[in-house]
Coordinates of all heavy atoms in Angstrom, one line a residue:
M1 N -3.3 5.5 -32.2 CA -3.3 5.9 -30.8 C -2.1 5.2 -30.0 O -2.0 3.9 -30.1 CB -4.6 5.5 -30.1 CG -4.7 5.9 -28.7 SD -6.4 5.5 -28.1 CE -6.2 5.8 -26.4
K2 N -1.3 5.9 -29.4 CA -0.2 5.4 -28.6 C -0.6 4.6 -27.4 O -1.4 5.2 -26.6 CB 0.8 6.5 -28.3 CG 2.0 6.0 -27.5 CD 2.9 7.2 -27.1 CE 4.2 6.7 -26.4 NZ 3.9 6.3 -25.0
R3 N -0.1 3.4 -27.2 CA -0.4 2.6 -26.0 C 0.6 3.0 -25.0 O 1.8 3.0 -25.2 CB -0.5 1.1 -26.3 CG -1.6 0.8 -27.3 CD -1.6 -0.7 -27.5 NE -2.0 -1.3 -26.2 CZ -2.6 -2.5 -26.0 NH1 -2.8 -3.2 -27.1 NH2 -2.9 -3.0 -24.9
T4 N 0.1 3.2 -23.7 CA 1.1 3.4 -22.6 C 1.1 2.3 -21.7 O 0.0 1.6 -21.5 CB 0.7 4.7 -21.9 OG1 -0.7 4.6 -21.4 CG2 0.9 5.9 -22.7
S5 N 2.2 2.0 -21.1 CA 2.3 0.9 -20.1 C 1.7 1.3 -18.8 O 1.5 2.5 -18.5 CB 3.8 0.5 -19.9 OG 4.5 1.6 -19.3
I6 N 1.5 0.3 -18.0 CA 0.9 0.5 -16.6 C 1.9 1.4 -15.8 O 1.4 2.4 -15.2 CB 0.7 -0.8 -15.9 CG1 -0.4 -1.6 -16.6 CG2 0.3 -0.5 -14.4 CD1 -1.8 -1.1 -16.6
P7 N 3.2 1.1 -15.8 CA 4.1 2.0 -15.1 C 4.1 3.5 -15.6 O 4.1 4.4 -14.8 CB 5.5 1.4 -15.3 CG 5.2 0.0 -15.5 CD 3.9 -0.1 -16.3
E8 N 3.9 3.7 -16.9 CA 3.8 5.0 -17.4 C 2.6 5.7 -16.9 O 2.6 6.9 -16.6 CB 3.8 5.0 -19.0 CG 5.2 4.7 -19.6 CD 5.2 4.5 -21.1 OE1 4.1 4.0 -21.6 OE2 6.2 4.8 -21.7
R9 N 1.5 5.0 -16.9 CA 0.2 5.6 -16.4 C 0.3 5.9 -14.9 O -0.1 7.0 -14.5 CB -0.9 4.6 -16.6 CG -1.3 4.4 -18.1 CD -2.4 3.5 -18.2 NE -2.6 3.1 -19.6 CZ -3.7 2.4 -20.0 NH1 -4.5 2.0 -19.2 NH2 -3.8 2.2 -21.3
L10 N 0.9 5.0 -14.2 CA 1.0 5.2 -12.7 C 1.9 6.4 -12.4 O 1.8 7.1 -11.4 CB 1.5 4.0 -12.0 CG 0.5 2.8 -12.0 CD1 1.1 1.6 -11.4 CD2 -0.8 3.2 -11.3
A11 N 2.9 6.6 -13.3 CA 3.9 7.7 -13.0 C 3.2 9.0 -13.0 O 3.8 10.0 -12.4 CB 5.0 7.6 -14.0
G12 N 2.1 9.2 -13.6 CA 1.4 10.4 -13.6 C 0.6 10.7 -12.4 O 0.0 11.8 -12.2
N13 N 0.4 9.7 -11.5 CA -0.4 9.9 -10.3 C 0.3 11.0 -9.4 O 1.5 11.1 -9.4 CB -0.6 8.6 -9.6 CG -1.4 7.6 -10.4 OD1 -2.1 8.0 -11.3 ND2 -1.3 6.4 -10.0
R14 N -0.6 11.6 -8.6 CA -0.1 12.5 -7.6 C -0.4 11.9 -6.2 O -1.5 11.4 -6.0 CB -0.8 13.9 -7.8 CG -0.4 14.9 -6.8 CD -0.8 16.3 -7.3 NE -0.5 17.3 -6.2 CZ -1.4 17.8 -5.4 NH1 -2.7 17.5 -5.5 NH2 -1.1 18.6 -4.5
Y15 N 0.5 12.0 -5.3 CA 0.3 11.5 -3.9 C 0.4 12.7 -3.0 O 1.4 13.5 -3.0 CB 1.4 10.5 -3.6 CG 1.3 9.3 -4.4 CD1 2.0 9.2 -5.7 CD2 0.7 8.1 -4.0 CE1 1.9 8.1 -6.4 CE2 0.6 7.0 -4.8 CZ 1.2 7.0 -6.0 OH 1.2 5.8 -6.8
V16 N -0.6 12.8 -2.1 CA -0.5 13.8 -1.0 C -0.4 13.0 0.3 O -1.3 12.2 0.7 CB -1.8 14.6 -1.0 CG1 -1.8 15.6 0.2 CG2 -2.0 15.3 -2.3
T17 N 0.7 13.0 0.9 CA 1.0 12.2 2.1 C 0.4 12.8 3.3 O 0.6 14.0 3.6 CB 2.5 12.1 2.3 OG1 3.1 11.5 1.1 CG2 2.8 11.2 3.4
D18 N -0.3 12.0 4.1 CA -0.7 12.4 5.4 C 0.5 12.2 6.4 O 0.8 11.1 6.7 CB -1.9 11.5 5.9 CG -2.5 12.0 7.2 OD1 -1.8 12.7 8.0 OD2 -3.6 11.6 7.5
E19 N 1.1 13.3 6.7 CA 2.3 13.3 7.5 C 2.1 12.9 9.0 O 3.0 12.5 9.7 CB 3.1 14.6 7.5 CG 3.4 15.1 6.1 CD 4.5 14.3 5.4 OE1 5.2 13.5 6.1 OE2 4.7 14.5 4.2
D20 N 0.8 13.0 9.4 CA 0.5 12.7 10.8 C 0.1 11.3 11.1 O 0.1 10.9 12.3 CB -0.6 13.7 11.3 CG -0.1 15.2 11.2 OD1 1.1 15.4 11.4 OD2 -0.9 16.0 10.8
E21 N -0.5 10.6 10.1 CA -1.1 9.3 10.4 C -1.0 8.4 9.2 O -1.4 8.7 8.1 CB -2.6 9.6 10.7 CG -3.4 8.3 11.0 CD -4.8 8.6 11.2 OE1 -5.1 9.4 12.1 OE2 -5.7 8.1 10.5
S22 N -0.5 7.2 9.5 CA -0.5 6.1 8.4 C -1.9 5.5 8.4 O -2.6 5.3 9.4 CB 0.5 5.1 8.8 OG 0.3 3.9 7.9
H23 N -2.4 5.2 7.2 CA -3.7 4.6 7.0 C -3.5 3.0 7.0 O -4.5 2.3 6.8 CB -4.4 5.0 5.8 CG -3.7 4.7 4.5 ND1 -2.6 5.3 4.0 CD2 -4.1 3.8 3.5 CE1 -2.2 4.7 2.9 NE2 -3.1 3.8 2.6
I24 N -2.3 2.6 7.3 CA -2.0 1.1 7.3 C -1.3 0.7 8.5 O -0.3 1.4 8.9 CB -1.2 0.7 6.1 CG1 -1.8 1.1 4.7 CG2 -0.9 -0.8 6.1 CD1 -0.9 1.0 3.5
H25 N -1.8 -0.3 9.2 CA -1.1 -0.8 10.4 C -1.0 -2.3 10.3 O -2.0 -3.0 10.0 CB -1.8 -0.4 11.7 CG -1.8 1.1 11.9 ND1 -0.8 1.8 12.4 CD2 -2.8 2.0 11.5 CE1 -1.1 3.1 12.4 NE2 -2.3 3.2 11.9
V26 N 0.2 -2.9 10.6 CA 0.4 -4.3 10.6 C 0.5 -4.8 12.0 O 1.3 -4.3 12.8 CB 1.6 -4.7 9.8 CG1 1.9 -6.2 9.8 CG2 1.5 -4.2 8.3
D27 N -0.2 -5.8 12.4 CA 0.0 -6.5 13.6 C 1.1 -7.5 13.4 O 0.9 -8.5 12.7 CB -1.3 -7.3 14.1 CG -1.1 -8.0 15.4 OD1 -0.1 -8.7 15.6 OD2 -2.0 -7.9 16.2
Q28 N 2.3 -7.2 13.9 CA 3.5 -7.9 13.5 C 3.4 -9.4 13.9 O 3.8 -10.3 13.1 CB 4.7 -7.3 14.1 CG 5.0 -5.9 13.6 CD 5.4 -5.8 12.1 OE1 5.8 -6.8 11.5 NE2 5.2 -4.6 11.5
D29 N 2.9 -9.7 15.1 CA 2.8 -11.1 15.5 C 1.9 -11.9 14.7 O 2.2 -13.0 14.3 CB 2.4 -11.1 17.0 CG 3.5 -10.6 17.9 OD1 4.7 -10.6 17.6 OD2 3.1 -10.1 19.1
L30 N 0.7 -11.3 14.4 CA -0.3 -12.0 13.6 C 0.2 -12.2 12.2 O 0.0 -13.2 11.5 CB -1.6 -11.3 13.6 CG -2.7 -11.8 14.6 CD1 -4.0 -10.9 14.5 CD2 -3.1 -13.2 14.3
A31 N 0.8 -11.1 11.7 CA 1.3 -11.2 10.3 C 2.3 -12.3 10.1 O 2.3 -13.0 9.1 CB 1.9 -9.8 9.9
R32 N 3.2 -12.5 11.2 CA 4.2 -13.5 11.1 C 3.6 -14.9 11.2 O 3.9 -15.8 10.5 CB 5.2 -13.2 12.2 CG 6.4 -14.2 12.1 CD 7.5 -13.8 13.2 NE 8.1 -12.5 12.9 CZ 8.0 -11.5 13.7 NH1 7.4 -11.5 14.8 NH2 8.6 -10.3 13.4
S33 N 2.7 -15.0 12.2 CA 2.1 -16.4 12.5 C 1.1 -16.9 11.5 O 0.9 -18.1 11.3 CB 1.5 -16.4 13.9 OG 0.3 -15.6 13.9
T34 N 0.5 -16.0 10.7 CA -0.4 -16.4 9.7 C 0.1 -16.4 8.3 O -0.6 -16.8 7.3 CB -1.7 -15.4 9.7 OG1 -1.2 -14.1 9.4 CG2 -2.3 -15.5 11.1
G35 N 1.3 -15.9 8.1 CA 1.9 -15.8 6.7 C 1.4 -14.6 6.0 O 1.8 -14.4 4.8
T36 N 0.7 -13.7 6.7 CA 0.2 -12.5 6.0 C 1.3 -11.6 5.5 O 1.3 -11.0 4.5 CB -0.7 -11.7 7.0 OG1 -1.9 -12.5 7.2 CG2 -1.1 -10.3 6.5
G37 N 2.4 -11.5 6.3 CA 3.5 -10.7 6.0 C 4.1 -11.0 4.6 O 4.2 -10.1 3.8
K38 N 4.3 -12.2 4.4 CA 4.9 -12.6 3.1 C 3.9 -12.4 1.9 O 4.3 -12.0 0.8 CB 5.3 -14.1 3.1 CG 6.5 -14.4 4.0 CD 7.1 -15.7 3.8 CE 8.2 -16.0 4.8 NZ 9.3 -15.0 4.8
R39 N 2.6 -12.6 2.2 CA 1.6 -12.4 1.2 C 1.4 -11.0 0.8 O 1.3 -10.6 -0.4 CB 0.3 -13.0 1.6 CG 0.3 -14.6 1.6 CD -1.1 -15.1 1.7 NE -1.9 -14.8 2.9 CZ -1.9 -15.4 4.0 NH1 -1.1 -16.4 4.2 NH2 -2.6 -15.0 5.0
I40 N 1.4 -10.1 1.8 CA 1.2 -8.7 1.4 C 2.5 -8.1 0.7 O 2.3 -7.2 -0.1 CB 0.8 -7.8 2.6 CG1 1.8 -7.8 3.7 CG2 -0.6 -8.3 3.1 CD1 1.4 -6.9 4.9
V41 N 3.6 -8.6 1.1 CA 4.9 -8.2 0.4 C 4.8 -8.6 -1.1 O 5.1 -7.8 -2.0 CB 6.1 -8.7 1.0 CG1 7.3 -8.6 0.1 CG2 6.4 -8.1 2.4
A42 N 4.3 -9.8 -1.3 CA 4.2 -10.4 -2.7 C 3.2 -9.7 -3.5 O 3.4 -9.5 -4.7 CB 4.0 -11.9 -2.6
V43 N 2.0 -9.3 -2.9 CA 0.9 -8.9 -3.7 C 0.9 -7.4 -4.0 O 0.2 -7.0 -5.0 CB -0.4 -9.4 -3.1 CG1 -0.8 -8.5 -1.9 CG2 -1.5 -9.4 -4.1
C44 N 1.5 -6.6 -3.2 CA 1.3 -5.2 -3.3 C 2.1 -4.6 -4.5 O 3.3 -4.7 -4.6 CB 1.9 -4.4 -2.1 SG 1.8 -2.6 -2.2
P45 N 1.4 -4.1 -5.5 CA 2.0 -3.6 -6.7 C 2.8 -2.3 -6.5 O 3.6 -1.9 -7.4 CB 0.8 -3.3 -7.7 CG -0.3 -3.1 -6.8 CD -0.1 -3.9 -5.5
A46 N 2.6 -1.6 -5.4 CA 3.3 -0.4 -5.1 C 4.5 -0.5 -4.2 O 5.2 0.4 -3.9 CB 2.3 0.6 -4.5
H47 N 4.8 -1.8 -3.8 CA 5.9 -2.1 -3.0 C 5.9 -1.3 -1.7 O 6.9 -0.8 -1.2 CB 7.3 -1.8 -3.7 CG 7.3 -2.5 -5.0 ND1 7.4 -3.9 -5.2 CD2 7.3 -2.1 -6.3 CE1 7.4 -4.2 -6.4 NE2 7.4 -3.1 -7.2
V48 N 4.7 -1.2 -1.1 CA 4.5 -0.5 0.2 C 5.2 -1.3 1.3 O 5.7 -0.8 2.3 CB 3.0 -0.3 0.4 CG1 2.7 0.1 1.9 CG2 2.5 0.7 -0.5
Y49 N 5.1 -2.7 1.2 CA 5.6 -3.5 2.3 C 7.0 -4.1 2.0 O 7.2 -4.5 0.9 CB 4.6 -4.7 2.5 CG 3.2 -4.2 2.8 CD1 2.2 -4.3 1.8 CD2 2.8 -3.7 4.0 CE1 0.9 -3.9 2.0 CE2 1.5 -3.3 4.2 CZ 0.6 -3.4 3.2 OH -0.7 -3.0 3.4
T50 N 7.8 -4.2 3.1 CA 9.1 -4.8 3.0 C 9.3 -5.7 4.2 O 9.0 -5.3 5.3 CB 10.2 -3.7 3.0 OG1 10.0 -2.8 1.9 CG2 11.6 -4.4 2.8
E51 N 9.7 -6.9 3.9 CA 10.1 -7.8 5.1 C 11.5 -7.6 5.5 O 12.4 -7.8 4.7 CB 9.8 -9.3 4.7 CG 10.0 -10.2 5.9 CD 9.7 -11.7 5.6 OE1 9.6 -12.0 4.4 OE2 9.5 -12.4 6.5
E52 N 11.7 -7.1 6.7 CA 13.1 -6.9 7.2 C 13.7 -8.2 7.6 O 13.1 -9.2 7.7 CB 13.0 -5.9 8.4 CG 12.3 -4.6 8.1 CD 13.0 -3.7 7.1 OE1 14.2 -3.9 6.8 OE2 12.3 -2.8 6.5
P53 N 15.0 -8.2 7.7 CA 15.8 -9.4 8.1 C 15.3 -10.1 9.3 O 15.3 -11.3 9.4 CB 17.2 -8.9 8.2 CG 17.3 -7.7 7.4 CD 16.0 -7.1 7.5
D54 N 14.7 -9.4 10.3 CA 14.2 -10.0 11.5 C 12.7 -10.4 11.3 O 12.1 -10.9 12.3 CB 14.3 -9.0 12.7 CG 13.4 -7.8 12.5 OD1 12.8 -7.6 11.5 OD2 13.4 -7.0 13.5
G55 N 12.2 -10.3 10.1 CA 10.8 -10.8 9.9 C 9.8 -9.7 10.1 O 8.6 -9.9 9.7
T56 N 10.1 -8.5 10.6 CA 9.2 -7.4 10.7 C 8.8 -6.9 9.4 O 9.6 -6.8 8.5 CB 9.9 -6.3 11.6 OG1 10.2 -6.8 12.8 CG2 8.9 -5.1 11.7
I57 N 7.6 -6.5 9.2 CA 7.1 -5.9 8.0 C 7.1 -4.4 8.2 O 6.4 -3.8 9.0 CB 5.6 -6.4 7.6 CG1 5.6 -7.9 7.6 CG2 5.2 -5.7 6.4 CD1 6.5 -8.5 6.5
S58 N 7.9 -3.7 7.3 CA 7.9 -2.2 7.4 C 6.9 -1.7 6.3 O 6.6 -2.4 5.3 CB 9.2 -1.7 7.1 OG 9.7 -2.0 5.9
V59 N 6.3 -0.6 6.5 CA 5.2 0.0 5.7 C 5.6 1.4 5.2 O 5.8 2.3 6.1 CB 3.9 0.0 6.5 CG1 2.8 0.6 5.6 CG2 3.6 -1.3 7.1
E60 N 5.7 1.6 3.9 CA 5.9 2.9 3.3 C 4.5 3.3 2.8 O 4.3 3.3 1.6 CB 7.0 2.8 2.2 CG 8.3 2.5 2.7 CD 8.9 3.6 3.6 OE1 8.5 4.8 3.4 OE2 9.7 3.3 4.5
Y61 N 3.7 3.8 3.7 CA 2.3 4.0 3.3 C 2.1 5.1 2.3 O 1.0 5.1 1.6 CB 1.4 4.3 4.5 CG 1.7 5.6 5.2 CD1 1.0 6.7 5.0 CD2 2.7 5.7 6.2 CE1 1.3 7.9 5.6 CE2 3.0 6.8 6.8 CZ 2.3 8.0 6.5 OH 2.6 9.2 7.1
A62 N 3.0 6.0 2.1 CA 2.8 7.1 1.2 C 2.7 6.7 -0.2 O 2.2 7.4 -1.1 CB 4.0 8.1 1.4
A63 N 3.2 5.5 -0.5 CA 3.2 5.0 -1.9 C 1.9 4.2 -2.3 O 1.8 3.8 -3.4 CB 4.4 4.1 -2.2
C64 N 1.1 4.0 -1.3 CA -0.1 3.2 -1.5 C -1.1 3.9 -2.5 O -1.4 5.1 -2.4 CB -0.9 3.0 -0.2 SG -2.5 2.2 -0.3
F65 N -1.5 3.1 -3.5 CA -2.5 3.7 -4.4 C -3.9 3.0 -4.3 O -4.8 3.1 -5.1 CB -2.1 3.7 -5.9 CG -1.6 2.5 -6.5 CD1 -2.5 1.4 -6.8 CD2 -0.3 2.3 -6.8 CE1 -2.0 0.3 -7.4 CE2 0.2 1.2 -7.4 CZ -0.7 0.1 -7.7
E66 N -4.1 2.5 -3.1 CA -5.5 2.2 -2.6 C -6.2 1.1 -3.5 O -7.4 1.3 -3.7 CB -6.3 3.4 -2.5 CG -5.6 4.4 -1.5 CD -6.2 5.9 -1.6 OE1 -7.4 6.0 -2.0 OE2 -5.4 6.8 -1.4
C67 N -5.5 0.1 -3.9 CA -6.1 -0.9 -4.7 C -6.8 -2.0 -3.9 O -7.7 -2.7 -4.4 CB -5.0 -1.6 -5.6 SG -3.9 -2.6 -4.7
G68 N -6.4 -2.2 -2.7 CA -7.1 -3.2 -1.8 C -6.6 -4.6 -1.9 O -7.1 -5.5 -1.2
A69 N -5.6 -4.8 -2.7 CA -5.1 -6.2 -2.9 C -4.5 -6.8 -1.6 O -4.7 -8.0 -1.3 CB -4.0 -6.2 -3.9
C70 N -3.9 -6.0 -0.8 CA -3.3 -6.5 0.5 C -4.5 -7.0 1.4 O -4.3 -8.0 2.1 CB -2.5 -5.5 1.2 SG -3.2 -3.9 1.5
L71 N -5.6 -6.3 1.4 CA -6.7 -6.7 2.2 C -7.2 -8.1 1.8 O -7.7 -8.8 2.7 CB -7.8 -5.7 2.2 CG -7.5 -4.3 2.8 CD1 -8.7 -3.4 2.5 CD2 -7.4 -4.5 4.3
A72 N -7.2 -8.4 0.6 CA -7.7 -9.6 0.1 C -6.9 -10.8 0.5 O -7.4 -11.9 0.5 CB -7.8 -9.6 -1.5
V73 N -5.6 -10.6 0.8 CA -4.8 -11.8 1.2 C -4.4 -11.8 2.7 O -3.7 -12.7 3.1 CB -3.5 -11.8 0.3 CG1 -3.8 -11.9 -1.2 CG2 -2.6 -10.6 0.6
A74 N -4.8 -10.8 3.4 CA -4.4 -10.7 4.9 C -5.4 -11.6 5.7 O -6.6 -11.6 5.5 CB -4.5 -9.3 5.3
A75 N -4.8 -12.2 6.7 CA -5.6 -12.9 7.7 C -6.4 -11.9 8.5 O -5.9 -10.8 8.8 CB -4.7 -13.8 8.6
P76 N -7.6 -12.3 9.0 CA -8.3 -11.3 9.9 C -7.5 -10.8 11.0 O -6.9 -11.6 11.8 CB -9.5 -12.2 10.3 CG -9.7 -13.3 9.3 CD -8.3 -13.6 8.8
G77 N -7.5 -9.5 11.2 CA -6.8 -8.9 12.3 C -5.3 -8.6 12.1 O -4.7 -7.8 12.8
A78 N -4.7 -9.2 11.0 CA -3.3 -9.0 10.8 C -3.0 -7.6 10.2 O -1.9 -7.1 10.3 CB -2.7 -10.1 10.0
L79 N -4.0 -7.1 9.5 CA -3.7 -5.8 8.8 C -4.9 -4.9 9.0 O -6.1 -5.3 8.9 CB -3.6 -6.1 7.3 CG -3.4 -4.9 6.3 CD1 -2.0 -4.4 6.6 CD2 -3.5 -5.4 4.9
T80 N -4.6 -3.7 9.4 CA -5.7 -2.7 9.6 C -5.4 -1.6 8.5 O -4.3 -1.1 8.3 CB -5.6 -2.0 10.9 OG1 -5.8 -3.0 11.9 CG2 -6.8 -1.0 11.1
W81 N -6.4 -1.4 7.6 CA -6.3 -0.5 6.5 C -7.6 0.3 6.3 O -8.7 -0.3 6.4 CB -6.1 -1.4 5.2 CG -5.7 -0.7 4.0 CD1 -4.4 -0.6 3.5 CD2 -6.5 0.1 3.1 NE1 -4.4 0.2 2.3 CE2 -5.7 0.6 2.1 CE3 -7.9 0.4 3.1 CZ2 -6.2 1.4 1.0 CZ3 -8.4 1.2 2.1 CH2 -7.6 1.7 1.1
H82 N -7.4 1.6 6.2 CA -8.6 2.4 5.8 C -8.1 3.4 4.8 O -6.9 3.6 4.6 CB -9.2 3.1 7.1 CG -8.2 3.9 7.8 ND1 -7.9 5.2 7.4 CD2 -7.4 3.7 8.9 CE1 -7.0 5.8 8.2 NE2 -6.7 4.9 9.2
Y83 N -9.1 4.0 4.2 CA -8.7 5.1 3.2 C -8.0 6.2 3.9 O -8.3 6.5 5.1 CB -9.9 5.6 2.4 CG -10.4 4.6 1.3 CD1 -11.5 3.9 1.5 CD2 -9.7 4.5 0.2 CE1 -12.0 3.0 0.6 CE2 -10.1 3.6 -0.8 CZ -11.2 2.9 -0.6 OH -11.6 2.0 -1.6
P84 N -7.0 6.9 3.3 CA -6.4 8.0 3.9 C -7.4 9.1 4.2 O -8.5 9.2 3.5 CB -5.4 8.5 2.8 CG -5.2 7.3 1.9 CD -6.5 6.5 1.9
R85 N -7.1 9.9 5.1 CA -8.0 11.0 5.5 C -8.2 11.9 4.3 O -7.4 12.0 3.4 CB -7.4 11.8 6.6 CG -7.3 11.0 7.9 CD -6.9 11.9 9.1 NE -5.6 12.4 9.1 CZ -5.1 13.1 10.0 NH1 -5.7 13.3 11.1 NH2 -3.8 13.6 9.9
G86 N -9.3 12.6 4.3 CA -9.8 13.5 3.2 C -8.7 14.4 2.8 O -8.0 15.1 3.6
G87 N -8.5 14.5 1.4 CA -7.5 15.4 0.9 C -6.1 14.8 0.8 O -5.2 15.4 0.2
T88 N -5.9 13.6 1.3 CA -4.6 12.9 1.2 C -4.8 11.6 0.5 O -5.9 11.2 0.2 CB -4.0 12.6 2.6 OG1 -4.8 11.7 3.3 CG2 -3.8 13.9 3.4
G89 N -3.7 11.0 0.2 CA -3.7 9.7 -0.6 C -3.4 10.0 -2.1 O -2.9 11.0 -2.5
V90 N -3.7 9.0 -2.9 CA -3.4 9.0 -4.3 C -4.5 9.8 -5.1 O -5.7 9.8 -4.7 CB -3.3 7.6 -4.9 CG1 -4.6 6.9 -4.8 CG2 -2.7 7.7 -6.3
Q91 N -4.1 10.5 -6.1 CA -5.0 11.2 -7.0 C -4.6 10.7 -8.4 O -3.5 11.0 -8.9 CB -4.9 12.7 -6.9 CG -5.3 13.2 -5.5 CD -5.0 14.7 -5.3 OE1 -4.5 15.4 -6.2 NE2 -5.4 15.2 -4.2
F92 N -5.5 9.9 -9.0 CA -5.2 9.3 -10.3 C -5.4 10.3 -11.4 O -6.4 11.1 -11.4 CB -6.1 8.1 -10.5 CG -5.8 7.0 -9.6 CD1 -6.7 6.7 -8.5 CD2 -4.7 6.2 -9.8 CE1 -6.4 5.6 -7.7 CE2 -4.4 5.1 -9.0 CZ -5.3 4.8 -7.9
R93 N -4.5 10.3 -12.3 CA -4.6 11.2 -13.5 C -5.2 10.5 -14.7 O -5.7 11.2 -15.6 CB -3.2 11.7 -13.8 CG -2.5 12.5 -12.8 CD -3.0 13.9 -12.8 NE -2.6 14.7 -11.7 CZ -1.5 15.4 -11.6 NH1 -0.6 15.4 -12.6 NH2 -1.2 16.1 -10.5
E94 N -5.2 9.2 -14.7 CA -5.7 8.5 -15.9 C -6.8 7.5 -15.5 O -6.7 6.3 -15.9 CB -4.6 7.8 -16.6 CG -3.6 8.8 -17.2 CD -2.9 8.3 -18.4 OE1 -3.5 7.5 -19.2 OE2 -1.7 8.7 -18.6
G95 N -7.7 7.9 -14.7 CA -8.8 7.0 -14.3 C -8.6 5.9 -13.4 O -7.5 5.6 -12.9
Ligands
SF4_101 FE1 -0.4 -2.0 -1.7 FE2 -2.8 -1.8 -2.8 FE3 -2.5 -2.5 -0.2 FE4 -2.0 0.0 -1.0 S1 -4.0 -1.1 -1.0 S2 -0.7 -1.2 0.3 S3 -1.2 -0.3 -3.1 S4 -1.8 -3.7 -2.0

């Protein structure tokens, strides 16, 4: 049986982007003052977060595969995250 890597498995996922609403919002001031910004950039396996040169955290929410890791490292109130609206978000092909 051929073993496939994690990136190979993830490449088969399908994403349906909610063009009207992001399911992720960052409180920029709280993210900066609590260190949440640097932690969510470091922990997100989908590279959804980027720290801009001015310290602002940008969010490419369409790439999120809903693992919840960013929530585990965010200070209370610094990150608002909910599942994408019905019919949007990631659809896993391999469980
Ligand atoms: Fe990244 Fe996972 Fe958070 Fe989505 S839920 S933004 S993939 S860490």
Side-chain angles (χ1 to χ4, degrees):
M1 180 174 171
K2 180 182 180 284
R3 295 184 67 154
T4 55
S5 68
I6 298 292
E8 286 173 328
R9 292 181 188 184
L10 293 175
N13 294 340
R14 180 167 174 254
Y15 296 85
V16 179
T17 302
D18 185 338
E19 302 289 350
D20 299 324
E21 179 184 302
S22 171
H23 66 288
I24 303 170
H25 298 279
V26 175
D27 181 314
Q28 297 292 339
D29 292 336
L30 261 178
R32 187 176 292 117
S33 66
T34 62
T36 291
K38 291 191 183 308
R39 290 196 298 275
I40 61 178
V41 168
V43 77
C44 178
H47 307 291
V48 166
Y49 305 104
T50 303
E51 185 175 17
E52 303 297 341
D54 67 355
T56 300
I57 303 298
S58 62
V59 181
E60 294 292 333
Y61 68 95
C64 175
F65 53 72
E66 303 165 29
C67 69
C70 55
L71 290 173
V73 300
L79 181 67
T80 302
W81 190 101
H82 59 80
Y83 283 105
R85 294 191 292 185
T88 64
V90 65
Q91 295 174 359
F92 292 103
R93 296 280 168 90
E94 297 205 32

